[in-house]
Amino acid sequence: MNFNQLVLNSPRRLALPISMSPGLALTGAKVSDIVTNSQAQLDAQAALQQRYQSPFVLGAMDLSVEAEAFGCTIAVSDSEVPTVTGRLITNQEQADKLAVPQPGDRRTGVYLEAVRLLRQLPGQPFVFAGCIGPFSLAARLVGVSEAMELTIAEPELMHTLLEKCTDFLTNYLKAFRAAGAHGVIMAEPAAGLLSPRGLSAYSSVYVKRLAAEASDEALSIVLHNCGAKLLHLPAILETGLKAYHFGAPMDIVGALGKVAPDVILCGNLDPAGVFVQSPPAETTAKTAQLLAATAGHRNFVISSGCDLPPNAPLASLDAFYAAVKTANQ
Amino acid sequence: MADLNQLHDAVLNGDAKTAKAVTEQALAAGHEPLKLVQDHMMPAMSEVGRRFECNEYFVPELLLAARAMKGSLELLRPLLAAKGNEPVGRVALGTVKGDLHDIGKNLVGAMLEGGGYEVIDLGVNVTPEQFIAAIKDKKANIVAISALLTTTMPAMKTTIDALKAAGVRDQVKIIVGGAPITQTFADEIGADGFSESAAGAVSAARKVCLA
Ligand code: B1M
C-alpha cells in the first residue's frame, strides 16, 4: 500500500510528526550518534513507535548529508544536526567540473542502512527515508544566501548545479527504494524563499523530473516545504506529486480547498512555537484546533511543520499524540 | 546628464551595475550625495520593503536590491562623511552567538541602511564581546540582534547581560528580531525594541531612539 492509499483508507486520523530528536530522550543517544549511526536511528524510532504506536517510522532529517557527499565540509556538534560550512562552488567552472557522488558515499550509507534496519521493526510500519530537495541541495553547494541571488543573477550556474543534484537525488531515491523504503520525505526548505516563478523554475521542474524517474507505486514521495505560503501552492503542484508536507506559513485549510481530494497534505504545527515554546497543554490545544479546522478532509495528515528541534520536550510530543487520540475517539 | 530616476529604479530592480554607474554620473554632474541617498535610494528601499511585505518581492529580489544599494553607498559614504553628514544612527548588527542564519539579518541591515542608518555588520555567530567592541570602538548607538533558532534565543539575553556587565548597556538601544522571537520574549530579556520584519526594524530603531 502506498502512502496515499494508507491515508485515504484509514478509518482514523493519522499523525506524522517529523520527530527523531524526541526519541533521543528515550534512548539516551546524542544527535551526533543519530547522524553517524544507523542503529541509533533505529533505536530512537523504535522507542518512539513503541510509545505512540504510529503507523510511520522515519529516517532522520539531516540536510547536510547529501551536500557532504558532494564534498562540502560540515560542522558537527553533539546536540545539533551537522551544518554545511563555507561554499563548495563559487563559479561556473567549478560547477561544470563538480563530480556527482554515488548513493552510499560518505554518510549517505548511514541513511540507506537505517532504512534497511527500520524495515525490520515489528508491526511492519510504513518506512519513510528523508532527503533534501534539488534546489536546497544546490543552495548548500553554492551558499544559501548566494543561491538566492544567483537565481536571478546567474541562472546558468544554478541550472548546472541543479542538473547534477537531480541526477544524484534520482539515484539516491532509487537506492532508498532498493533498501526497502516505502516513501521519502524530500525537504525543499530553501525553495520556500523564492517567488512562485522562481520556485517553479528552480525546484518544481527538477522535482518533477526526478520523481518521474525514481518514484512509482512502491515509493511515495512527500515533498516538504516549510517556508511555502499559499501563493506558492500552484507552483509546487506543478511537480505533479500526490503528497506534500508544509510548514507553519502555509494556510493549510486554504490549501486543502485547492488540491484534489486524493492529494495528501501534511502539516503544519510550528515546530518551535508549538512544540518548544508552548507548555504541553497549549500543544494539545493547538493540535486539537488544527484537527478541528481540517475535520472532514480525509487527505490531511497532522504533523509538525518541520523537523522538531532537539530541545523539543517529549512532553510536547505526548501532548500532540494525546490530542490526536482524543480527536479519534 | 544623470537621470536620477534611474538610480531609484536600479536599486528597486536590484541592478547593481546601473546603480553604480548612475551614482558615478550624478556625482560627476555635481549632485549632492545626501540628496541621492535621501531622495532616490531611501524611497527605493522603502518600496522594496513594501513589495516584500505584500509578497510582490521575495528574498532573491530583496538581496539583489540590497546589493545594488550597497554598491552606490560605498561610493557615497566617504563623501557624506567628508561633508559632515552624520547617519541617522550607527547600528551594530549581528546574528547571535551559535546561530549561522544570515538572510534575515542581511535584509534587516539593508532596510536600516536604506533608512539612513550606518550599519556595522558583525556577521553571524557574533559573541557578546564583538558587540561590546563595536559599541566602544565604532561608537554604535544601536545594537540589533537576530536569532533564528530556539536554541540560540537564550544567547540574546546573555549578550544583553554582557553589555550590562561591561558597563555599556546604557549607551545603546537594543532591538531584537528573527522568526522565533516575540514581543514577550524581547521584554523578558530586557531589549528596548522588537520587530518581526526587516522593514519594521527601521521603525523599531526610530522608536527606541525617540524613547
Ligand atoms: C534586530 O532586529 C531584527 C528585526 C527583524 C528581524 C531580525 C532582527 N532578524 C530577522 N528578522 C525578520 O526580518 C526578516 C525579513 O522579514 C525575517 O528574517 P528570517 O530570517 O526569519 O527570514 C528570512 C528572510 C528567510 N528565512 C531564512 O533565511 C531561514 C530559512 C530556513 C529554510 C533556514 C535556512 C535557509 C538555513 N538553515 Co535553518 N533554516 C530554517 C528556515 C526554515 C524556514 N522555512 O523558514 C530554520 C530557521 N533552521 C532551522 C534549523 C533547526 C537549522 N538551520 C540550520 C542551518 C541552515 C542553513 C545554513 C542551511 C540555512 C541558512 C543559510 C543562511 N545563510 O542564512 C542549522 C543551524 C545552523 C546554525 N548553527 O545556525 C539547523 C540547526 C539545522 C541543521 N543542522 O541543518 C529551524 C529552526 C527551528 C528553531 N526555531 O529552532 C528552521 C525554522 C527550519 C526548521 N527545521 O523548522 C524576520 O524574522
Side-chain angles (χ1 to χ4, degrees):
Chain A
M1 204 183 295
N2 68 28
F3 179 60
N4 287 53
Q5 290 161 344
L6 187 106
V7 173
L8 295 170
N9 295 334
S10 170
R12 57 199 171 90
R13 305 196 70 174
L14 300 177
L16 172 61
I18 307 193
S19 55
M20 175 65 83
S21 309
L24 304 182
L26 297 168
T27 63
K30 297 191 289 262
V31 179
S32 51
D33 298 326
I34 292 284
V35 299
T36 51
N37 179 342
S38 44
Q39 184 65 41
Q41 287 193 35
L42 171 70
D43 294 343
Q45 283 295 306
L48 287 170
Q49 213 229 349
Q50 203 182 7
R51 192 177 181 94
Y52 301 118
Q53 311 294 314
S54 167
F56 309 110
V57 288
L58 284 74
M61 185 71 88
D62 172 356
L63 303 187
S64 66
V65 68
E66 300 88 351
E68 188 192 12
F70 268 95
C72 288
T73 51
I74 56 165
V76 185
S77 95
D78 271 358
S79 55
E80 288 280 10
V81 174
T83 308
V84 172
T85 53
R87 303 174 62 195
L88 181 69
I89 301 296
T90 57
N91 59 45
Q92 183 67 45
E93 198 190 337
Q94 289 173 342
D96 290 334
K97 285 191 184 146
L98 182 68
V100 178
Q102 290 301 312
D105 284 356
R106 307 274 180 108
R107 285 181 306 119
T108 59
V110 172
Y111 290 83
L112 291 168
E113 180 57 21
V115 164
R116 274 182 217 110
L117 295 177
L118 288 168
R119 274 302 298 269
Q120 290 160 22
L121 277 173
Q124 300 189 327
F126 191 97
V127 175
F128 271 116
C131 77
I132 197 168
F135 179 72
S136 302
L137 176 53
R140 271 164 178 67
L141 302 181
V142 78
V144 179
S145 204
E146 289 80 2
M148 295 293 140
E149 295 188 35
L150 291 169
T151 58
I152 297 175
E154 283 185 56
E156 195 193 330
L157 171 53
M158 286 312 295
H159 286 298
T160 306
L161 291 177
L162 278 159
E163 291 290 335
K164 297 191 176 194
C165 292
T166 304
D167 286 349
F168 170 73
L169 290 173
T170 305
N171 291 333
Y172 196 30
L173 256 58
K174 286 179 180 167
F176 274 131
R177 191 177 47 182
H182 300 108
V184 174
I185 299 180
M186 175 178 282
E188 195 57 317
L193 306 179
L194 301 174
S195 65
R197 192 149 33 110
L199 188 147
S200 170
Y202 289 100
S203 175
S204 297
V205 167
Y206 293 95
V207 172
K208 186 176 182 173
R209 193 171 93 195
L210 72 84
E213 262 197 69
S215 160
D216 57 19
E217 277 298 295
L219 188 83
S220 308
I221 300 183
V222 179
L223 180 62
H224 163 79
N225 187 327
C226 50
K229 299 176 184 164
L230 192 56
L231 59 93
H232 289 109
L233 188 64
I236 292 174
L237 295 177
E238 285 170 15
T239 57
L241 293 181
K242 289 287 189 188
Y244 302 90
H245 185 285
F246 292 120
M250 180 57 76
D251 165 4
I252 208 85
V253 177
L256 282 164
K258 288 186 190 301
V259 299
D262 63 339
V263 169
I264 309 295
L265 299 190
C266 315
N268 73 338
L269 293 166
D270 184 351
V274 176
F275 288 88
V276 180
Q277 291 164 323
S278 298
E282 224 172 284
T283 311
T284 305
K286 286 177 177 158
T287 307
Q289 263 167 29
L290 183 57
L291 285 169
T294 54
H297 291 280
R298 297 184 65 90
N299 57 336
F300 176 69
V301 177
I302 194 159
S303 179
S304 52
C306 200
D307 198 9
L308 292 184
N311 57 343
L314 199 55
S316 300
L317 203 56
D318 289 346
F320 166 83
Y321 273 110
V324 177
K325 199 169 169 191
T326 306
N328 277 325
Q329 270 159 9
Chain B
M1 185 66 189
D3 174 1
L4 297 183
N5 288 331
Q6 270 189 5
L7 177 57
H8 173 275
D9 293 354
V11 172
L12 186 60
N13 297 326
D15 179 353
K17 223 167 121 188
T18 306
K20 199 171 165 206
V22 180
T23 307
E24 278 164 350
Q25 287 166 21
L27 289 174
H31 286 283
E32 268 297 305
L34 188 62
K35 281 190 105 30
L36 296 182
V37 177
Q38 282 180 343
D39 297 351
H40 303 280
M41 290 161 66
M42 280 166 62
M45 276 317 280
S46 136
E47 174 61 9
V48 167
R50 191 197 66 76
R51 290 187 184 188
F52 185 62
E53 300 284 309
C54 61
N55 292 320
E56 282 173 38
Y57 268 18
F58 294 84
V59 170
E61 290 83 358
L62 227 77
L63 289 174
L64 283 172
R67 187 175 291 282
M69 184 194 56
K70 262 188 187 348
S72 292
L73 272 181
E74 266 164 31
L75 295 173
L76 296 172
R77 212 172 265 131
L79 304 173
L80 290 167
K83 285 186 183 269
N85 296 132
E86 279 293 314
V88 187
R90 198 163 280 130
V91 187
L93 169 70
T95 305
V96 77
K97 186 168 182 320
D99 202 322
L100 304 175
H101 294 85
D102 69 356
I103 298 175
K105 185 259 308 163
N106 292 346
L107 298 184
V108 168
M111 295 312 295
L112 285 168
E113 283 190 331
Y117 290 84
E118 180 184 332
V119 175
I120 304 154
D121 189 346
L122 301 172
V124 294
N125 194 18
V126 179
T127 60
E129 294 71 31
Q130 286 172 279
F131 281 111
I132 294 167
I135 299 167
K136 287 187 175 162
D137 306 340
K138 304 231 166 107
K139 307 277 175 278
N141 63 337
I142 298 174
V143 167
I145 321 174
S146 177
L148 263 280
L149 300 169
T150 42
T151 45
T152 56
M153 286 166 65
M156 284 185 154
K157 177 157 175 13
T158 315
T159 304
I160 296 179
D161 290 346
L163 262 56
K164 283 184 194 154
V168 294
R169 172 65 182 94
D170 295 337
Q171 297 169 29
V172 291
K173 298 289 182 184
I174 300 175
I175 59 171
V176 293
I181 310 301
T182 58
Q183 181 68 58
T184 315
F185 178 75
D187 294 341
E188 269 168 26
I189 61 170
D192 301 304
F194 157 75
S195 159
E196 54 181 39
S197 71
V202 183
S203 335
R206 281 199 196 115
K207 210 164 120 193
V208 294
C209 287
L210 291 175

